[in-house]
Amino acid sequence: MKTMMGLINLEHEHYVFNELTYFRSSASIPFAGRYRLIDFALSNMVNSNVHEVAIFARSKYRSLLDHLGTGENWDLDRRNGGLFILPPDWNDPTDVSKGDLQFFHNNRDYFHRGKSSYVLVSGSQFIANTDYKEAFNLHVERNADVTLVSTKVEELKDEHTPSYRIEADDLGWVQHITNDRKNPKVFTGVYIINKELLIDLVDHCIAYGHDNFFVHGIKERLSELKIQTYQYRGYSAFINTIESFYRHNMNLLSEDNYKELFYKPTYIRTKVSNNSPVKYRSGAVVDHSILANGCVVDGDVEGSVLFRGVVVKEGASVKNSIIMQRCEIEEGAYLENVILDKDVHISKGQRIIGSKDKPFVIAKRQTI
Amino acid sequence: MKECVGMLLAGGEGKRLGALTHHIAKPAVPFGGKYRIIDFTLSNCTNSNIQTLGVLTQYSPLELNKHIGNGKPWDLDRRNGGVTVLSPYTGKTGGDWYSGTADAIYQNIHFIDQYNPEYVLVISGDHIYQMDYQKLLNQHKATRADATISVIKVPWEEASRFGILNTTDTERIFEFEEKPAVPGSNLASMGIYIFTWNTLKDYLLKDAKNKASSHDFGKDIIPTMLNDDRRLFAYQFDGYWKDVGTVQSYWEANMDLLDEDFGNTLNNKNWRIYTNDSNFPPQYIGSNAIVNHSLVNSGCFVYGKVNRSVLFKNVVVNSGCSISESILHPGTKVGKNSILERVIVMENTEIPEGTNIRVSENEEPVVLNQEILHGMLALTGGGK
């Protein structure tokens, strides 16, 4: 049976998250009440029958390691295969690789040992609930070298700027990979590649001193490779800036989007945490919001996303805001268009108001 | 060697819970929005550092076995010790069902002996309470007791419903009365015992040979020990403790969780209640929803009014609904404009639009599943 092995490559991801990435990698940014960005890439892989997944992580990965653990929440705690968190370095004095090629070069064993002949590669910023079985079938059927997963974006925004655009012929063969900002066919960062080819391309890139596998190994060698494109249809989001992070959290308050992202036969897995159900006290007035377990609400919550363990005390008001894990909002405080990172404490009667386009962000563990 | 091995009695049928225990054992009945009744005792063990535990099952154990699994949610997946599910078995000399609480332990003497413990903690999986068993064990050791029984003060007028222990000033037990008409004290046995294992083993072996015995701790073992003038002590517990043996008390115990002052029970970071957690997305509260004084678990969609109620995972309350003083088990779907008051709805029941079921305050709350609901709707012609 033809199978894929997985790779989540966090190197070379473009992002501007300011306060949110002071203490964590962008892949472990909390999202939608109880998830982290990487949960989507990881769950989509597991849902595509991928049973071994490697993660290339270079820096600030403390929170990522804590989140992933043994991989058991994704059924990736396996005797064979499972989860591999791979570092870039190796004690090899002859190593001349750069950029993500360092990871590929120093972790060749992962690819050699895996029994699959295909590799499913993904970043962490493409948010969707899907599986890549159909893309894989297409890849095998068309006998392609590489299959790029793209999606047609209805309204192009800043968050799409760093993504490549795809131009393909009627049969889906890719003709150009461009930076054309007007092209709505956006590359999701997800692709399938034949394993032998991947290893050859890694050698080629290192030989020529290149530092970016996708750019130099695939994009620049487009004419020599058979590259297909598979178009993903369905709800998706690209999250790489504070603004897109805020907007896509808010978009989930629309029931259709919420159900499209979370209520499908495939589901998004994350670390379970054993919090109690949400406790609504007598002063609770909650509408149009999503709340994760462990919250205790005794105030007003409107149009907001509350992560696990948030406490909103009597007379406090939270509007159009994203409140991350274990924040405490004291009596009479008022928050509007605000993003609170984890463990923030808002004292009695404080008023903090941001704007829709520029939400006010408060970094982790502050008292205000 | 382990100092203390726990034995959790989880085989009871819970007849008085009616439909709630038709297909599952009482300890596996859902409780408190995301838990099962047994989670409270399992978590007590984890939090009290009792790391070796036998769970004795008998009645409809499927859900219970699945729930406990390898004990991972309670950190009871250990190489040495951990949780072991002990069901009745057959051997060379035949086999039998567990005929009483003491018989269940008797039939598993070899399980306990593997660990060569000094003490054995005997508990049951059908009470809601948070208790540190180490304190009980410490007292047991300090008094050099043969058995220590945990007791709780109950209101005098209710004392005749319980097993009552009469003690001296030093907490030494001199008399045990099962449901006495005229109670001599208001110290009720909580069904939590610590025994010195060698002593208990002797009594179990003797009791097994006694054809007249019902092989029950309360009825046989404890009275015999008292007759022999063994050192039996009471340990006074003064926290919350609730037997959820009837539909009424099951409902009350759930409602207790909604009390403002009681709110920290489930959220207490120093005494967490662990369970086999699911991976449902956060709950979605719609634009016109009103949720008050309630517990709501993940995966729920709420568009109507919910007051003083407990919603388990994946429950949908549609617009125009009014749910009060009710308990909705996982997967319950309530159709538009329905009214439920003092109702317990069992797993995956679909309640049609416009259903109106209200139980008045002086009646026992009604338990519904799809079958019972069909019967009721047929009788009343649906709705109204």
Side-chain angles (χ1 to χ4, degrees):
Chain A
M1 201 182 99
K2 292 186 163 76
T3 58
M4 297 186 284
M5 56 200 295
L7 167 61
I8 297 178
N9 186 356
L10 304 179
E11 191 81 341
H12 305 308
E13 289 202 303
H14 296 269
Y15 57 84
V16 194
F17 284 124
N18 304 334
E19 291 90 341
L20 300 184
T21 47
Y22 283 175
F23 306 105
R24 59 169 80 87
S25 65
S26 68
S28 55
I29 288 182
F31 181 70
R34 65 190 286 268
Y35 302 90
R36 306 251 181 181
L37 294 187
I38 198 168
D39 290 340
F40 296 85
L42 208 47
S43 301
N44 290 342
M45 286 200 170
V46 173
N47 291 334
S48 308
N49 291 334
V50 171
H51 302 306
E52 53 192 320
V53 178
I55 296 174
F56 288 175
R58 191 186 291 274
S59 61
K60 292 195 270 192
Y61 48 72
R62 202 252 340 135
S63 72
L64 190 63
L65 292 182
D66 176 53
H67 181 67
L68 298 171
T70 58
E72 65 162 324
N73 288 305
W74 296 266
D75 282 337
L76 286 173
D77 54 334
R78 304 274 174 151
R79 288 231 177 258
N80 297 304
L83 186 68
F84 299 84
I85 299 164
L86 303 176
D89 331 288
W90 201 261
N91 186 21
D92 174 6
T94 64
D95 182 10
V96 292
S97 58
K98 299 183 217 160
D100 62 354
L101 272 312
Q102 270 191 309
F103 285 96
F104 282 105
H105 174 64
N106 292 313
N107 297 294
R108 279 167 196 266
D109 284 356
Y110 171 67
F111 299 101
H112 287 311
R113 283 183 190 152
K115 291 193 179 73
S116 305
S117 324
Y118 302 89
V119 184
L120 173 61
V121 187
S122 168
S124 70
Q125 300 174 345
F126 174 65
I127 303 300
N129 178 355
T130 181
D131 67 62
Y132 299 111
K133 288 178 195 158
E134 219 175 281
F136 184 46
N137 289 342
L138 182 86
H139 180 83
V140 174
E141 223 169 78
R142 296 275 168 93
N143 201 16
D145 292 322
V146 180
T147 296
L148 307 179
V149 178
S150 62
T151 187
K152 206 167 169 186
V153 173
E154 275 170 29
E155 199 183 339
L156 286 165
K157 292 216 149 79
D158 283 349
E159 69 239 37
H160 303 111
T161 309
S163 302
Y164 286 122
R165 310 305 157 91
I166 310 261
E167 287 175 27
D169 66 14
D170 294 346
L171 289 171
W173 294 108
V174 176
Q175 306 300 310
H176 299 284
I177 302 174
T178 69
N179 292 312
D180 177 6
R181 291 192 179 191
K182 288 187 198 110
N183 181 351
K185 215 171 165 192
V186 177
F187 174 45
T188 62
V190 179
Y191 59 98
I192 298 165
I193 181 168
N194 300 356
K195 189 168 78 178
E196 294 306 320
L197 175 66
L198 178 138
I199 291 167
D200 285 351
L201 292 175
V202 166
D203 288 336
H204 166 85
C205 285
I206 294 171
Y208 286 84
H210 295 316
D211 63 359
N212 186 318
F213 176 75
F214 184 80
V215 172
H216 304 289
I218 297 176
K219 179 173 174 282
E220 284 180 2
R221 308 194 71 195
L222 180 61
S223 56
E224 297 156 50
L225 300 169
K226 291 193 291 177
I227 304 186
Q228 258 296 316
T229 181
Y230 168 83
Q231 197 172 326
Y232 166 75
R233 294 179 176 81
Y235 185 78
S236 71
F238 290 80
I239 297 182
N240 45 32
T241 59
I242 296 250
E243 190 274 329
S244 57
F245 169 81
Y246 178 73
R247 184 158 35 77
H248 286 300
N249 268 293
M250 290 298 134
N251 281 349
L252 291 178
L253 298 177
S254 135
E255 193 190 328
D256 292 345
N257 294 341
Y258 187 75
K259 284 190 167 161
E260 267 223 68
L261 192 54
F262 293 116
Y263 276 80
K264 287 198 181 173
T266 54
Y267 71 99
I268 304 299
R269 303 153 195 243
T270 189
K271 182 182 172 183
V272 298
S273 73
N274 229 309
N275 275 294
S276 62
V278 176
K279 170 109 178 179
Y280 292 85
R281 297 175 67 117
S282 49
V285 182
V286 179
D287 69 26
H288 199 54
S289 292
I290 61 182
L291 296 89
N293 275 351
C295 291
V296 180
V297 183
D298 205 4
D300 285 20
V301 176
E302 191 190 324
S304 295
V305 178
L306 268 53
F307 284 72
R308 291 160 172 168
V310 168
V311 177
V312 180
K313 296 210 171 148
E314 203 183 333
S317 208
V318 178
K319 254 178 104 172
N320 308 328
S321 294
I322 299 167
I323 314 293
M324 294 193 198
Q325 297 93 302
R326 295 187 303 272
C327 286
E328 206 171 320
I329 298 151
E330 297 250 28
E331 286 89 349
Y334 182 88
L335 304 178
E336 190 175 341
N337 303 323
V338 168
I339 299 173
L340 301 188
D341 203 334
K342 287 169 72 172
D343 296 307
V344 169
H345 190 108
I346 303 289
S347 328
K348 275 184 191 171
Q350 283 289 342
R351 286 176 70 83
I352 302 169
I353 301 172
S355 75
K356 280 230 148 87
D357 301 323
K358 215 165 170 20
F360 197 97
V361 185
I362 295 171
K364 218 171 147 171
R365 219 167 285 134
Q366 315 250 351
T367 300
I368 288 178
Chain B
M1 194 196 123
K2 303 273 177 190
E3 185 187 32
C4 182
V5 168
M7 296 297 273
L8 202 169
L9 301 159
E13 181 180 342
K15 275 198 190 104
R16 292 171 302 157
L17 282 171
L20 286 171
T21 51
H22 260 179
H23 303 293
I24 56 177
K26 180 172 161 189
V29 170
F31 182 85
K34 76 180 281 190
Y35 308 93
R36 293 182 189 267
I37 293 170
I38 197 174
D39 288 337
F40 287 78
T41 25
L42 286 173
S43 301
N44 284 343
C45 287
T46 305
N47 292 325
S48 307
N49 209 19
I50 302 286
Q51 296 170 359
T52 307
L53 185 67
V55 178
L56 299 125
T57 61
Q58 177 152 290
Y59 174 79
S60 283
L62 177 66
E63 288 281 337
L64 193 56
N65 288 342
K66 206 174 131 189
H67 181 67
I68 295 170
N70 67 353
K72 171 103 189 164
W74 304 272
D75 269 346
L76 290 170
D77 54 329
R78 305 273 175 154
R79 289 229 176 255
N80 179 13
V83 69
T84 308
V85 173
L86 302 166
S87 53
Y89 57 92
T90 58
K92 274 271 180 265
T93 53
D96 224 332
W97 297 106
Y98 297 150
S99 59
T101 50
D103 182 53
I105 307 291
Y106 166 77
Q107 292 203 40
N108 288 290
I109 284 177
H110 60 290
F111 167 79
I112 300 171
D113 273 343
Q114 291 180 86
Y115 299 105
N116 188 22
E118 272 179 71
Y119 309 103
V120 169
L121 169 74
V122 177
I123 47 185
S124 67
D126 42 15
H127 296 119
I128 305 297
Y129 65 106
Q130 293 174 306
M131 176 172 171
D132 187 347
Y133 301 134
Q134 284 301 333
K135 289 185 182 162
L136 175 62
L137 182 59
N138 288 343
Q139 187 196 302
H140 182 83
K141 286 193 263 184
T143 54
R144 290 174 291 108
D146 292 309
T148 305
I149 304 175
S150 185
V151 296
I152 189 162
K153 280 195 170 131
V154 293
W156 277 97
E157 60 272 22
E158 288 177 30
S160 53
R161 285 178 36 219
F162 293 90
I164 294 296
L165 295 169
N166 296 322
T167 60
T168 64
D169 294 345
T170 56
E171 306 287 345
R172 182 143 181 197
I173 302 166
F174 62 87
E175 192 181 18
F176 176 82
E177 303 173 288
E178 185 68 35
K179 299 187 179 134
V182 186
S185 88
N186 64 338
L187 295 176
S189 165
M190 297 162 70
I192 299 165
Y193 313 94
I194 281 194
F195 294 98
T196 300
W197 175 230
N198 282 334
T199 314
L200 176 64
K201 201 168 142 184
D202 287 345
Y203 278 89
L204 289 176
L205 293 169
K206 264 188 262 167
D207 179 72
K209 290 195 189 113
N210 179 1
K211 293 246 161 63
S213 169
S214 57
H215 311 300
D216 186 89
F217 277 103
K219 292 191 193 103
D220 308 292
I221 302 289
I222 299 297
T224 316
M225 287 179 100
L226 279 172
N227 269 340
D228 294 353
D229 209 19
R230 288 285 185 173
R231 292 176 66 81
L232 269 68
F233 285 82
Y235 168 83
Q236 282 212 30
F237 175 73
D238 58 1
Y240 178 88
W241 177 80
K242 187 119 185 160
D243 175 34
V244 282
T246 62
V247 172
Q248 177 71 26
S249 66
Y250 170 82
W251 177 85
E252 280 169 10
N254 274 282
M255 292 299 126
D256 284 345
L257 293 174
L258 305 178
D259 265 13
E260 306 277 298
D261 304 328
F262 199 68
N264 287 330
T265 322
L266 301 176
N267 249 334
N268 185 350
K269 294 281 181 269
N270 300 320
W271 202 271
R272 297 186 66 170
I273 304 301
Y274 300 99
T275 187
N276 198 341
D277 217 330
S278 66
N279 221 330
F280 273 92
Q283 57 197 269
Y284 184 93
I285 307 296
S287 293
N288 297 314
I290 302 174
V291 190
N292 241 297
H293 234 92
S294 295
L295 280 171
V296 181
N297 196 8
S298 42
C300 287
F301 284 84
V302 181
Y303 305 96
K305 191 175 165 193
V306 176
N307 186 33
R308 291 196 62 77
S309 294
V310 176
L311 273 55
F312 284 73
K313 68 186 176 194
N314 200 19
V315 166
V316 179
V317 174
N318 276 301
S319 57
C321 285
S322 172
I323 313 292
S324 65
E325 307 205 316
S326 294
I327 301 163
L328 311 185
H329 285 182
T332 299
K333 308 274 180 280
V334 188
K336 283 181 185 165
N337 305 319
S338 296
I339 300 173
L340 300 179
E341 205 174 305
R342 282 170 67 85
V343 170
I344 299 165
V345 185
M346 290 174 64
E347 211 159 325
N348 296 326
T349 306
E350 294 197 14
I351 294 176
E353 256 185 71
T355 305
N356 184 346
I357 301 173
R358 304 160 92 156
V359 178
S360 68
E361 251 179 71
N362 42 30
E363 283 175 72
E364 187 169 87
V366 161
V367 178
L368 293 179
N369 58 25
Q370 208 70 59
E371 218 177 313
I372 299 172
L373 185 70
H374 275 303
M376 281 177 87
L377 295 182
L379 268 178
T380 59
K384 304 295 135 79

